[in-house]
């Protein structure tokens, strides 16, 4: 687990992200890349949510409803790529603010590889104003709404690399 503490009161726990461990291979878990509780210094975890907003979904639905399938899918593709580009932009900003050297830092997304449990989005929404400021919500299964959105965790450890569980 990675425990996130309140920056204003480092004794107050906000959330615990739970990460599964690989059964084989290197037996990795994302928590392995963070300092343990009780270390001389606190570690940093960066999380982010990005969305292009619900207008993209409404546009797709409207075009789809008018049988304008090609335009609907072009619009959908543009919205997905815009969300990904915005995610990369925020990721670059986080790396800059953490003063990470070029090429250091790995971005993990819930629902993929090392972060398979999208229900963990609920904990992320406790930390970030995704609902209030961005109008995002979650499905009953923990998927992001609008669809053209991302939620990621940045691991700054120099040995961090992608893996799957």
């Amino acid at each position: 687990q990675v425990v996130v503490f309140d920056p204003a009161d480092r004794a107050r726990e906000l959330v615990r992200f739970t990460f599964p461990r690989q059964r084989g291979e290197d037996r990795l878990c994302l928590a392995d890349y963070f300092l343990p509780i009780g270390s001389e210094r606190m570690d940093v975890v960066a999380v982010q949510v990005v969305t292009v907003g619900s207008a993209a979904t409404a546009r797709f639905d409207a075009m789809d409803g008018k049988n304008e399938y090609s335009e609907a899918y072009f619009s959908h593709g543009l919205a997905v790529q815009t969300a990904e580009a915005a995610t990369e932009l925020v990721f670059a900003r986080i790396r800059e603010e953490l003063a990470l050297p070029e090429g250091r830092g790995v971005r993990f997304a819930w629902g993929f590889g090392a972060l398979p449990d999208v229900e963990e989005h609920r904990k992320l929404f406790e930390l970030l104003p995704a609902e209030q400021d961005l109008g995002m919500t979650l499905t009953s299964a923990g998927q992001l709404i609008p669809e053209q959105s991302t939620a990621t965790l940045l691991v700054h450890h120099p040995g961090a690399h992608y893996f799957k569980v």
Side-chain angles (χ1 to χ4, degrees):
Q1 293 181 329
V2 169
V3 181
V4 179
F5 292 95
D6 184 339
D9 177 3
R10 293 184 171 192
R12 188 169 84 85
E13 182 179 316
L14 297 177
V15 298
R16 284 178 182 248
F17 289 110
T18 303
F19 306 119
R21 183 170 297 285
Q22 286 179 311
R23 290 194 176 115
E25 299 184 41
D26 297 327
R27 301 227 356 102
L28 290 174
C29 169
L30 285 182
D32 296 336
Y33 293 125
F34 295 92
L35 293 173
I37 292 177
S39 296
E40 286 185 24
R41 59 188 173 90
M42 303 267 308
D43 208 339
V44 174
V45 62
V47 291
Q48 67 180 40
V49 291
V50 172
T51 185
V52 296
S54 59
T57 301
R59 180 175 168 82
F60 174 84
D61 291 344
M63 285 188 270
D64 191 53
K66 293 190 260 181
N67 300 329
E68 296 175 1
Y69 303 118
S70 292
E71 289 300 318
Y73 283 102
F74 289 142
S75 178
H76 181 269
L78 178 62
V80 168
Q81 289 301 312
T82 300
E84 183 61 27
T87 299
E88 278 298 317
L89 186 66
V90 173
F91 176 49
R93 176 74 185 267
I94 291 169
R95 290 176 61 198
E96 181 182 306
E97 289 184 12
L98 292 176
L100 298 179
E102 183 68 32
R104 185 161 150 198
V106 180
R107 183 171 54 94
F108 292 89
W110 279 271
F112 299 95
L115 287 175
D117 187 4
V118 295
E119 285 288 338
E120 291 281 298
H121 283 146
R122 297 188 193 293
K123 296 174 186 176
L124 184 63
F125 273 42
E126 290 177 35
L127 293 174
L128 301 176
E131 292 175 285
Q132 311 87 282
D133 292 358
L134 301 177
M136 296 174 68
T137 58
L138 297 171
T139 68
S140 61
Q143 295 284 354
L144 300 172
I145 299 173
E147 174 190 351
Q148 301 85 357
S149 304
T150 64
T152 58
L153 177 138
L154 171 67
V155 177
H156 63 83
H157 189 281
H161 64 278
Y162 292 113
F163 62 91
K164 64 179 181 174
V165 293

